[in-house]
Amino acid sequence: MEDQDQDQNTNLDNEPTSVSSHGHKLYQQIDTFISILHDQPDSSSPPEIVEPVQNFADLFDAMLAAFESGSKRCTVFKTDEPLCFLESVDRTAKLIKSLRRFDSDQIYAVAINRLSGIQQRAMSIMEDEFKSILDDYQTSYDRDQKAKTDETKTVHLSSSSSNVEDSSELELPDQDQAEPQLEKDEFLGYSDALISDLNKLVNGLIQGGHETECSELYFLVRRNAMEQNLKAIEFEKFSIDEMQKMQWDLIEKEISSWIIIFKRFCNSLLPSEKRLADDVFWGHTAISNRLFSNLTRNILLCFLNFAEAVMMTKRSAEKLFKFLDIYETLRDNIPTVEKLIISGEWLPQLKSSAVLIRYMLGESIFMIFIELENSIKSDTSKTPVPSGAVHPLTRYTMNYLNYACEYSDTLEQIFRDHQEIGADFDDLKSQDHQHNYESNEAGSGSESGSGSPFQAQLTKIMDQLDTNLEAKSRLYKDPALSLIFMMNNGRYILQKTKGTGEMRTLLGDPWVRKRSSDLQNYHTCYKRETWTNVLQCLSHEGLSANGKVKKPVLKERFKSFNAMFDEIHKTQTAWVVSDEQLQSELRVSISAIVIPAYRSFMGRFSQVFTPGRQTEKYIKYQPEDVETCIEELFDGNAAQQGKKR
């Protein structure tokens, strides 16, 4: 059976048919008769129908009868009969056309009637052959690809077995590169020979007046094939109602699959389908364009319906990134489809549908950012974060924006489009309400002068986050802890901004410098708030009179220092500074002001006390102990006692 199939698909150019000299002579005689009919004036009597016409009709009729009865295997490209099938179809069509000039003549009418019947039977056989070849790709292509795959596996297995001892150097093929190689220039499974045969059949069918039947056959077979191709790569169709009932995590997976399949459809399957239609209907451009357009229409609308169904789900912040993925996929791939579809009544519908879906996705994306700004503003929780740590709102907002800025170019486009649409709406509104014209123009001018619309929105969100954090910092009763909270959050924001090139570019270097300056101010205010009184205890002023140390005042100074330092150590070891660099900077700056002052104070006044119990009572810390305690600050642990030497 395989051999028969291969014979059936053999091209005339590769294996010439054996048409007898009698057949060639008949064709020449018919061509001569057609020429005579062409030159015959309409007003004159028609010439007598020559005998070769009757002989040709008899021979072609007999050939068709043999095919129809099954006594001979049908193939329109190779025959042992004296006539060539396709040439005979061609002569039949030309004869009928020429004879119809004189169809009022009874003899001519009979001849036309007979030849028309023969032509219809030939068309039926050609339609069967056309459909057979179109359908055959499903078996021949799968068989060929399986053979190639098996051959590839055999080669790799052989290579593996011969290099077992050196398996570490064995290089396996890149699967992403290997798969497309199997389909390279394969016209969706049709060989060049099959394409040539299909084109010959198309020419014969169209010449025989069967353009509609030929087109319908091609459309049905290729539509089924395209659906099978999509089914093979697991494309699922979902209605809006079905999508509304699905959980978002399931929808996310479907979106990921949709993106991969849609890109492959636009950039691989559709171009191949276009090449196939163009080659099969070579010489009939309008037909191939129309067929390809109609084939593409339903499947493309399925893809767009999926995007629309996703867009119709309830809007939420977690959906932003998948919305952006769909938006980019449509934006980047629909133009490819538009270039392929040269004509088609529904092309404007495709464009408008794609534009509408993109606009609505863009509107949802825009509103998600507005809602993010509002959600930050409405976060009025009254419970401070323990230990002054980074607030969850800060972490969520910065991570969200960090990821969003990876789509910065797309977001710029979306916000710019939204701004333009808003400006157009304002213009229309101002035309209807002339008395508001000046105020609308003023508002539009200020907005247009703000630069990038997405950058403006990003800055608004960051400003709102600042305002919220400042309000939350006031929830702490200890002003120093409030400053630690602001430092923690400010440092986290700054590090996230610096770590993302897109976000830093959008916010700008002046914004980053302002943040760094604010952070330094918090640092300075913290040292002043916490350590000013401690340092006053270590001041030499007021401790001497007439060259003598006031021992009671000195005792009180040491007692005050010990009490203050104990309290700071006990409290601030439980505070959290999660950023290691900020933690180190704080400890170093504290040590820089406290340790030298304490060493100087000890060096000047420690000898005043009587060695022994008095010294131990008032001098609780050695300078090394103070330094050790400072190194324990901001660890988020309860103060550990007994550290002093």
Side-chain angles (χ1 to χ4, degrees):
M1 176 63 77
E2 289 185 6
D3 291 338
Q4 291 178 351
D5 290 341
Q6 291 171 357
D7 288 342
Q8 180 176 343
N9 297 329
T10 301
N11 194 321
L12 182 63
D13 296 337
N14 297 330
E15 190 171 338
T17 57
S18 54
V19 180
S20 67
S21 58
H22 177 61
H24 284 301
K25 187 177 180 181
L26 269 178
Y27 293 146
Q28 292 173 358
Q29 291 171 332
I30 290 173
D31 289 341
T32 301
F33 180 64
I34 291 173
S35 179
I36 293 172
L37 290 175
H38 182 268
D39 296 335
Q40 190 77 10
D42 292 337
S43 59
S44 62
S45 299
E48 182 180 352
I49 298 178
V50 297
E51 184 178 354
V53 173
Q54 182 66 37
N55 294 339
F56 167 75
D58 292 341
L59 282 173
F60 197 21
D61 191 357
M63 180 193 298
L64 297 177
F67 289 161
E68 292 166 343
S69 67
S71 62
K72 290 194 176 186
R73 187 174 60 84
C74 173
T75 171
V76 300
F77 302 106
K78 180 182 176 183
T79 178
D80 295 330
E81 296 294 331
L83 297 179
C84 170
F85 190 96
L86 292 177
E87 279 199 65
S88 299
V89 169
D90 177 66
R91 293 310 190 285
T92 303
K94 290 178 178 177
L95 265 175
I96 293 173
K97 181 179 179 181
S98 298
L99 291 172
R100 278 188 175 141
R101 288 186 59 204
F102 307 101
D103 56 2
S104 58
D105 185 274
Q106 182 65 27
I107 297 175
Y108 272 70
V110 171
I112 292 170
N113 187 55
R114 186 184 181 196
L115 287 170
S116 296
I118 291 173
Q119 184 185 50
Q120 290 302 316
R121 292 160 58 201
M123 292 296 105
S124 179
I125 291 172
M126 289 178 70
E127 287 174 12
D128 292 342
E129 186 83 352
F130 186 65
K131 185 176 185 304
S132 175
I133 296 175
L134 282 173
D135 284 335
D136 184 64
Y137 88 98
Q138 293 176 325
T139 55
S140 63
Y141 183 53
D142 292 343
R143 183 176 62 245
D144 292 344
Q145 296 310 318
K146 185 177 184 301
K148 290 181 182 179
T149 304
D150 292 344
E151 182 180 353
T152 304
K153 289 180 180 178
T154 303
V155 171
H156 293 320
L157 287 173
S158 175
S159 174
S160 300
S161 62
S162 63
N163 292 281
V164 171
E165 296 180 359
D166 195 20
S167 59
S168 62
E169 298 181 5
L170 182 63
E171 294 185 5
L172 296 177
D174 189 337
Q175 294 300 320
D176 293 335
Q177 295 178 358
E179 184 177 352
Q181 189 175 2
L182 292 176
E183 297 186 28
K184 184 179 179 182
D185 296 327
E186 284 290 343
F187 285 100
L188 299 169
Y190 297 97
S191 67
D192 290 341
L194 285 177
I195 296 291
S196 177
D197 290 348
L198 288 168
N199 180 246
K200 291 175 182 177
L201 288 168
V202 164
N203 290 332
L205 287 167
I206 292 176
Q207 189 177 23
H210 279 233
E211 175 187 327
T212 302
E213 292 80 355
C214 175
S215 299
E216 288 178 352
L217 273 174
Y218 184 87
F219 177 82
L220 290 173
V221 172
R222 290 312 307 162
R223 183 187 64 183
N224 292 337
M226 290 177 75
E227 290 177 352
Q228 289 299 317
N229 283 331
L230 290 175
K231 185 177 180 181
I233 54 179
E234 300 180 350
F235 173 64
E236 295 287 342
K237 300 178 183 178
F238 294 98
S239 67
I240 293 177
D241 290 339
E242 290 173 329
M243 197 72 74
Q244 295 286 347
K245 297 175 183 177
M246 291 173 64
Q247 296 294 322
W248 178 246
D249 57 343
L250 295 177
I251 296 176
E252 279 188 301
K253 294 178 182 178
E254 294 298 335
I255 292 172
S256 298
S257 297
W258 178 89
I259 290 170
I260 294 171
I261 295 169
F262 187 66
K263 288 180 178 178
R264 182 176 177 184
F265 175 76
C266 293
N267 297 288
S268 178
L269 292 179
L270 268 189
S272 296
E273 198 69 50
K274 174 65 173 171
R275 293 199 310 272
L276 179 64
D278 288 346
D279 276 50
V280 169
F281 288 87
W282 180 259
H284 309 280
T285 304
I287 299 175
S288 67
N289 287 341
R290 184 179 68 250
L291 282 170
F292 174 73
S293 174
N294 291 336
L295 280 169
T296 306
R297 177 177 183 270
N298 290 336
I299 295 178
L300 264 179
L301 290 179
C302 287
F303 279 112
L304 293 179
N305 287 342
F306 177 90
E308 183 181 9
V310 172
M311 179 196 62
M312 296 294 287
T313 60
K314 186 178 180 181
R315 186 172 62 239
S316 64
E318 65 177 337
K319 298 179 181 180
L320 171 69
F321 306 107
K322 287 301 180 184
F323 279 13
L324 283 165
D325 289 338
I326 295 175
Y327 182 95
E328 290 183 341
T329 301
L330 291 173
R331 178 197 65 193
D332 298 340
N333 292 279
I334 288 295
T336 302
V337 178
E338 292 176 355
K339 290 179 182 177
L340 292 172
I341 303 174
I342 300 173
S343 63
E345 295 179 357
W346 65 276
L347 184 56
Q349 178 191 355
L350 165 67
K351 291 182 178 180
S352 61
S353 296
V355 168
L356 179 61
I357 292 172
R358 274 183 54 197
Y359 166 75
M360 295 179 71
L361 278 170
E363 186 70 13
S364 295
I365 291 166
F366 177 85
M367 289 306 302
I368 285 173
F369 277 90
I370 300 300
E371 289 164 3
L372 175 62
E373 179 189 351
N374 292 334
S375 69
I376 295 172
K377 186 177 182 179
S378 62
D379 188 324
T380 56
S381 59
K382 299 299 182 181
T383 305
V385 176
S387 307
V390 178
H391 199 282
L393 178 64
T394 304
R395 292 186 185 277
Y396 173 81
T397 303
M398 292 310 299
N399 286 320
Y400 192 85
L401 294 177
N402 201 345
Y403 190 13
C405 284
E406 293 181 10
Y407 296 85
S408 58
D409 291 341
T410 300
L411 287 168
E412 288 285 9
Q413 179 182 358
I414 290 170
F415 275 73
R416 188 166 54 250
D417 291 346
H418 184 275
Q419 187 181 53
E420 290 172 357
I421 292 171
D424 291 341
F425 177 77
D426 286 342
D427 288 343
L428 289 174
K429 188 176 180 181
S430 66
Q431 292 173 12
D432 292 335
H433 306 278
Q434 289 295 327
H435 60 279
N436 289 330
Y437 181 81
E438 292 182 2
S439 61
N440 286 339
E441 281 294 300
S444 176
S446 62
E447 188 175 8
S448 62
S450 64
S452 160
F454 175 62
Q455 180 186 23
Q457 180 60 38
L458 185 63
T459 303
K460 285 176 66 178
I461 292 174
M462 297 304 297
D463 290 345
Q464 188 60 57
L465 180 61
D466 281 345
T467 302
N468 191 292
L469 290 174
E470 287 173 4
K472 293 185 187 306
S473 72
R474 292 192 286 271
L475 297 174
Y476 295 98
K477 295 179 180 179
D478 189 332
L481 182 55
S482 174
L483 291 164
I484 291 292
F485 172 79
M486 292 303 292
M487 273 191 279
N488 273 323
N489 286 272
R491 185 58 167 244
Y492 186 86
I493 292 170
L494 192 60
Q495 292 300 98
K496 281 291 182 180
T497 303
K498 287 182 176 180
T500 306
E502 294 85 355
M503 193 169 182
R504 177 165 186 161
T505 300
L506 285 165
L507 292 173
D509 288 337
W511 186 93
V512 173
R513 286 194 294 269
K514 173 66 166 56
R515 282 283 173 177
S516 299
S517 176
D518 291 344
L519 202 59
Q520 188 60 45
N521 288 337
Y522 295 140
H523 190 151
T524 302
C525 291
Y526 159 78
K527 289 191 295 182
R528 184 166 53 245
E529 182 69 34
T530 302
W531 299 99
T532 297
N533 291 336
V534 174
L535 292 174
Q536 287 176 352
C537 294
L538 303 178
S539 172
H540 295 195
E541 294 181 5
L543 288 175
S544 299
N546 300 320
K548 293 183 179 181
V549 176
K550 297 178 181 179
K551 202 169 182 180
V553 177
L554 180 62
K555 289 179 181 179
E556 194 61 35
R557 290 281 186 92
F558 268 107
K559 286 173 63 177
S560 297
F561 174 84
N562 293 338
M564 289 182 188
F565 192 77
D566 282 348
E567 181 62 27
I568 290 172
H569 181 254
K570 177 183 177 181
T571 303
Q572 297 194 16
T573 50
W575 293 358
V576 173
V577 176
S578 53
D579 184 88
E580 292 182 1
Q581 185 179 348
L582 177 60
Q583 186 187 71
S584 176
E585 289 172 358
L586 280 167
R587 289 171 176 173
V588 168
S589 67
I590 293 168
S591 296
I593 58 173
V594 174
I595 301 299
Y598 191 69
R599 286 185 188 277
S600 174
F601 194 80
M602 285 280 292
R604 173 70 177 81
F605 299 108
S606 62
Q607 306 301 324
V608 174
F609 296 112
T610 304
R613 291 182 59 187
Q614 195 176 49
T615 301
E616 291 182 0
K617 180 178 180 181
Y618 294 105
I619 303 177
K620 186 175 181 179
Y621 294 97
Q622 294 299 318
E624 294 80 5
D625 299 329
V626 173
E627 188 172 0
T628 299
C629 288
I630 290 174
E631 287 299 313
E632 293 171 357
L633 300 179
F634 317 121
D635 268 339
N637 302 316
Q640 300 178 25
Q641 299 298 324
K643 288 267 186 168
K644 71 185 181 71
R645 299 175 184 175

